[in-house]
Amino acid sequence: LAVHLFPSDAPLAQHAQPEVRRVALEQLVLRIKALGLPGPAAEVCEELVEPPDPRAVRAAVAELAHLGAIKQTASHARGGGVGSSAERSAERLTSLGWALTQLPIDARLGKLLLLGLVFGALDECLTVAAALSSRSPFLSPPDARDRADASKRNFAQAAAPRLAGAASPGLAGSGLAGFGAAAAGGGGDAGRLPSDLLACLQAYADFERRGGLGDAGCGWARERLLSIKTLQGMASLKRQLLEALSGAGLGVANGQVPPGLRQSYLESLGRRSGGGDGCRQALEHWSTRQQQGQQQGQQQGQQGRGGARLLADAPSAPPGRAANPPASPPPVSAELLASIVAGALFPQVAYVEAPPSTKTGAPCPADAVRLHVRDPDQGGDSSLPGGGGGPSVACVHPSSVNARSDGAAYAASPFVAFHERVLTTKVYARDVTPVPPLALPLLCGGRLRIENDDGGGGGGGGGG
């Protein structure tokens, strides 16, 4: 809460700035493109009674282009006199953009949920999206700060993705209990780097498995200095997001999301299932029904083709149970979740500069680690780091679980995704998540350009 005090004679505006001049404009640009209004989004916004800053519109279009929601192409329009032509940008929605217009949420969160649908990690992505929209569930009281930091590190190490060597164990059931058994002591593993967002996911999943908002779950959360109010808010946000997906019909056609879901049903289902949010239970129940329906259809088809005798000879199942029980969903790995987060947050991805000591060869100390972030506002080619004008520099926020990680921790992958940058005593990146190297070319959009830098020009460099 910020309170601004002004003297009685201070010149104050009679009215607040309109919302279109105060908020991000990605949703407005998506609506303009979905309505099919002619011309670029910047020209359409100029027709508003109180138009937004043109730079804000251009920034929103650029962000959507980086997300893969809008494709920009150059076109020529007549204007300015006989025979003259001016080059303008033609913007059209991609398939991802059309899907995002169906969701009344931030474009990045919408892409996160859609990637969760694609990779079979919807419930986990719902939790991460709720964490991105909420305050941190980790409390830090002044009289127990060390204990709070240790609790957060334990959750983060348990969910840390392995960026080198063998993959981490999968996510089974409703939690991440299988992750990082060797790293639970806080020492870490080679190739493992903790994530702030996956730490929130781990804490929320463990909270649900221990009874959620029941007495047992609340007592467990208090012992680990977790905010029960924030966890409750995350559960409510998850139900809202799943209802939005169901209402938009996304994931319904392929049987991943039940149609017509309502928050009240999810809440009651969570209470009946032991105090959870009800989202995982609804998704698993619907998946089971879909698989049973497919099995029944296959059996009926076999009977219609004369396979009744084979079915009659098959061993019967106990009453009320399918002959072939549906297979449980495959586990979700921390590496996949970190890749999905990077794909959703791109271009908010940084390159980690942590050179070792030139004298002793010791790893770069944690307070000297710097993040190089592409800043498209600096002009130039925005597909290059720094937008052609050089990268911006930021530091890992002190509240991050990676604030104490030295340069050796980033040896497996020098890339991290972050949620936002804030300026206090310096520029900090918050909610840092390590990025597996292959996630960048596979999920982070943009063109993959191959350059020949041998200086001779022979051998054929390429572009694509």
Side-chain angles (χ1 to χ4, degrees):
L1 176 64
V3 178
H4 297 268
L5 301 179
F6 298 92
S8 58
D9 58 347
L12 299 177
Q14 293 184 353
H15 305 284
Q17 287 282 349
E19 185 177 4
V20 75
R21 295 181 179 177
R22 293 184 284 109
V23 300
L25 301 179
E26 284 84 359
Q27 282 295 321
L28 175 61
V29 172
L30 287 175
R31 297 294 179 268
I32 290 174
K33 298 291 101 180
L35 291 173
L37 299 179
E43 294 183 4
V44 176
C45 290
E46 288 178 358
E47 302 298 324
L48 297 177
V49 177
E50 294 181 288
D53 188 335
R55 293 174 299 178
V57 182
R58 290 195 296 268
V61 172
E63 286 295 311
L64 292 173
H66 282 299
L67 283 175
I70 281 181
K71 185 174 183 180
Q72 294 177 286
T73 56
S75 63
H76 295 276
R78 296 274 179 186
V82 178
S84 65
S85 64
E87 186 172 305
R88 57 192 293 190
S89 174
E91 305 149 357
R92 65 175 181 84
L93 289 176
T94 63
S95 299
L96 173 61
W98 280 109
L100 293 178
T101 61
Q102 308 299 314
L103 296 174
I105 58 177
D106 178 76
R108 296 186 185 281
L109 299 185
K111 184 177 181 180
L112 176 65
L113 300 185
L114 294 176
L115 288 175
L117 280 172
V118 170
F119 291 101
L122 180 56
D123 183 69
E124 292 77 16
C125 289
L126 286 168
T127 304
V128 174
L132 288 171
S133 304
S134 309
R135 299 181 61 182
S136 173
F138 300 104
L139 298 176
S140 185
D143 56 343
R145 188 154 295 167
D146 291 340
R147 189 162 66 93
D149 291 344
S151 176
K152 184 177 181 179
R153 283 197 302 272
N154 287 337
F155 285 117
Q157 290 288 356
R162 187 185 300 275
L163 303 179
S168 298
L171 189 157
S174 59
L176 301 163
F179 282 142
D189 248 345
R192 298 177 70 100
L193 188 65
S195 160
D196 294 302
L197 291 177
L198 296 190
C200 292
L201 174 60
Q202 174 78 44
Y204 183 88
D206 286 351
F207 173 70
E208 272 209 319
R209 289 193 299 113
R210 285 164 174 78
L213 295 175
D215 292 340
C218 291
W220 176 88
R222 292 190 190 96
E223 291 177 1
R224 287 154 182 80
L225 297 176
L226 296 175
S227 171
I228 298 174
K229 185 176 181 179
T230 300
L231 294 172
Q232 183 179 13
M234 288 175 59
S236 178
L237 277 173
K238 284 187 64 176
R239 291 190 286 265
Q240 293 177 33
L241 294 172
L242 185 54
E243 180 182 354
L245 277 176
S246 177
L250 298 173
V252 173
N254 59 3
Q256 289 184 268
V257 178
L261 277 181
R262 292 292 181 266
Q263 296 181 52
S264 56
Y265 166 75
L266 294 171
E267 188 174 3
S268 63
L269 181 61
R271 286 197 299 265
R272 297 196 304 268
S273 303
D277 53 47
C279 295
R280 177 178 291 274
Q281 291 80 3
L283 295 174
E284 290 181 347
H285 177 67
W286 181 250
S287 176
T288 300
R289 287 184 56 186
Q290 294 292 98
Q291 294 182 32
Q292 291 176 347
Q294 292 175 1
Q295 290 178 359
Q296 292 176 359
Q298 293 173 358
Q299 292 175 358
Q300 292 174 359
Q302 291 175 359
Q303 290 177 349
R305 293 191 301 269
R309 182 174 185 81
L310 293 176
L311 291 175
D313 294 338
S316 59
R321 184 179 301 176
N324 296 315
S328 58
V332 180
S333 69
E335 296 76 36
L336 175 59
L337 291 173
S339 301
I340 291 174
V341 168
L345 295 181
F346 184 81
Q348 292 171 187
V349 175
Y351 173 80
V352 181
E353 184 186 39
S357 173
T358 57
K359 295 183 178 180
T360 64
C364 177
D367 57 359
V369 172
R370 295 294 181 265
L371 307 181
H372 287 197
V373 184
R374 179 197 56 80
D375 192 348
D377 293 336
Q378 295 179 355
D381 187 354
S382 61
S383 67
L384 297 175
S392 300
V393 178
C395 301
V396 179
H397 196 272
S399 65
S400 172
V401 291
N402 290 313
R404 302 180 184 178
S405 299
D406 59 17
Y410 300 94
S413 175
F415 301 102
V416 295
F418 60 92
H419 181 213
E420 60 182 356
R421 281 182 291 174
V422 295
L423 174 61
T424 53
T425 56
K426 60 178 73 173
V427 179
Y428 289 107
R430 297 177 62 95
D431 298 327
V432 173
T433 295
V435 179
L438 282 178
L440 293 175
L442 295 179
L443 295 179
C444 291
R447 295 186 304 165
L448 185 62
R449 181 167 58 190
I450 303 174
E451 295 184 350
N452 184 10
D453 57 357
D454 60 3

